[in-house]
Amino acid sequence: MRIDIITCLPNLFEGPLTQSIVRRSMDKGLVQLEIHNLRDYADNKHKHVDDYAFGGGAGMVLMLKPIDKCIADLKSKRTYDEVIYLTPDGTTYNQSIANQFSLKKNLILLCGHYKGVDQRVREHLVTKEISIGDYVLSGGELAAMVLADSLIRLVPGVLNDETSALSDSFQNNLLAPPVYTRPSEYKGWKVPEVLTSGHGVKIEAWKNEQALRRTEERRPDLLE
Ligand code: ADE
C-alpha cells in the first residue's frame, strides 16, 4: 500500500509515523508513506498557499491551484484509488471504512487547515471526505495520522500475528474482550480460571461471551 499525504505542515509527521509498527511496515517494504509539502507547489515567492475567503468572514482558505498541481503531479506517476480529504464535516470514520480503505493500493490524504480548502477542490479533486469525530482539530494532520496508522496495521504482513488485527475491537462490530498476562495471581487479584485451563473451545466461548457483554454494557449502539 502507498499513502501520499499532502500538508502545509510536513514537520508534524516526523514523530508518530516514524515509530514502531508503521516504521517496521515501511522497513519491510509493505507500506510506502510519502509526505508532500503543499508550499512546494505555491507559485508566489512567499510560498503562500492560503488566501482570504471571497465574500469575507474570518479565517484563511487553502488555495485551489497548489493543491491541484500537487495532486496532478502525483497522478502523473501512478493511479490513485481515492483522494481523501480530512474534514470535520466528512463521513465519520470507523473500522468498517478502515477495512475498505486498507484494500486499496494507492491513497492520497489531503490535510485541510485554517478554514479548510477552496470548495472547488472538494468538488473536482476529492473522492472521499472523512471526519475522525465530532470535534474540530486545528488541521487535518492529526486526522491523517489516525487514518494512516489504522490502515497500515491492516495491511497483510504488517502485524507479526496476522490474526491479531482480526481480534481488534470493532471487527465484527464487537468490542474486544479483556486480556490478562502473568502473573496469574497478584495481591489476590486472579485471572479468570478458564484462561489458564488450556481448554481451547471453552476459552473461545468465554472470549465471545465477554466481548458481547462488554459491547452490551459500553456500546449497545454497535449491536443495533
Ligand atoms: N480537521 C479538523 N477537524 C477534523 C476532524 N474532526 N476530522 C478530520 N479532519 C479534521
Side-chain angles (χ1 to χ4, degrees):
M1 165 183 271
R2 179 181 166 115
I3 302 175
D4 289 275
I5 300 180
I6 304 174
T7 171
C8 47
L9 294 170
N11 296 345
L12 280 183
F13 291 86
E14 273 163 24
L17 300 179
T18 53
Q19 309 286 325
S20 172
I21 291 176
V22 179
R23 164 91 273 149
R24 263 183 281 130
S25 72
M26 292 198 263
D27 291 346
K28 283 191 199 167
L30 297 168
V31 172
Q32 198 179 347
L33 188 85
E34 301 291 340
I35 311 295
H36 305 276
N37 188 350
L38 198 54
R39 292 183 208 284
D40 293 343
Y41 296 85
D43 60 0
N44 52 77
K45 70 171 189 286
H46 299 293
K47 298 280 172 206
H48 285 157
V49 290
D50 57 338
D51 210 337
Y52 295 99
F54 278 130
M60 304 294 274
V61 177
L62 284 181
M63 289 188 287
L64 168 62
K65 218 164 139 187
I67 296 174
D68 184 46
K69 275 165 65 182
C70 182
I71 292 176
D73 189 25
L74 290 172
K75 283 184 175 171
S76 72
K77 292 171 187 141
R78 65 197 67 78
T79 305
Y80 284 89
D81 300 291
E82 303 284 3
V83 178
I84 302 165
Y85 174 50
L86 287 314
T87 174
D89 59 2
T91 305
T92 309
Y93 194 54
N94 60 26
Q95 193 63 39
S96 154
I97 300 175
N99 290 340
Q100 289 164 40
F101 285 161
S102 75
L103 302 173
K104 309 288 185 189
K105 201 158 160 262
N106 299 316
L107 297 174
I108 292 176
L109 304 185
L110 172 64
C111 305
H113 233 271
Y114 316 108
K115 278 288 158 198
V117 298
D118 187 305
Q119 180 61 26
R120 290 165 291 180
V121 170
R122 303 173 69 159
E123 280 167 18
H124 301 285
L125 301 173
V126 165
T127 60
K128 291 268 166 25
E129 300 190 327
I130 296 291
S131 161
I132 62 161
D134 290 344
Y135 42 82
V136 179
L137 302 164
S138 332
E141 282 77 12
L142 286 170
M145 289 182 220
V146 167
L147 248 73
D149 184 280
S150 66
L151 295 179
I152 289 170
R153 61 198 305 289
L154 292 173
V155 171
V158 166
L159 297 183
N160 295 334
D161 177 358
E162 274 235 24
T163 60
S164 69
L166 295 176
S167 57
D168 285 344
S169 279
F170 304 112
Q171 297 289 359
N172 310 322
N173 269 352
L174 287 180
L175 299 182
V179 291
Y180 299 86
T181 185
R182 286 184 292 184
S184 60
E185 187 174 345
Y186 175 74
K187 290 186 176 176
W189 305 335
K190 290 186 186 148
V191 169
E193 245 168 57
V194 61
L195 293 178
T196 52
S197 69
H199 196 298
V201 176
K202 282 191 186 155
I203 292 172
E204 250 347 271
W206 181 87
K207 286 184 181 172
N208 290 337
E209 180 203 307
Q210 290 292 318
L212 191 60
R213 185 187 295 178
R214 240 187 204 189
T215 314
E216 278 166 354
E217 283 169 7
R218 298 175 182 211
R219 290 294 305 277
D221 56 297
L222 293 175
L223 299 170
E224 275 156 21

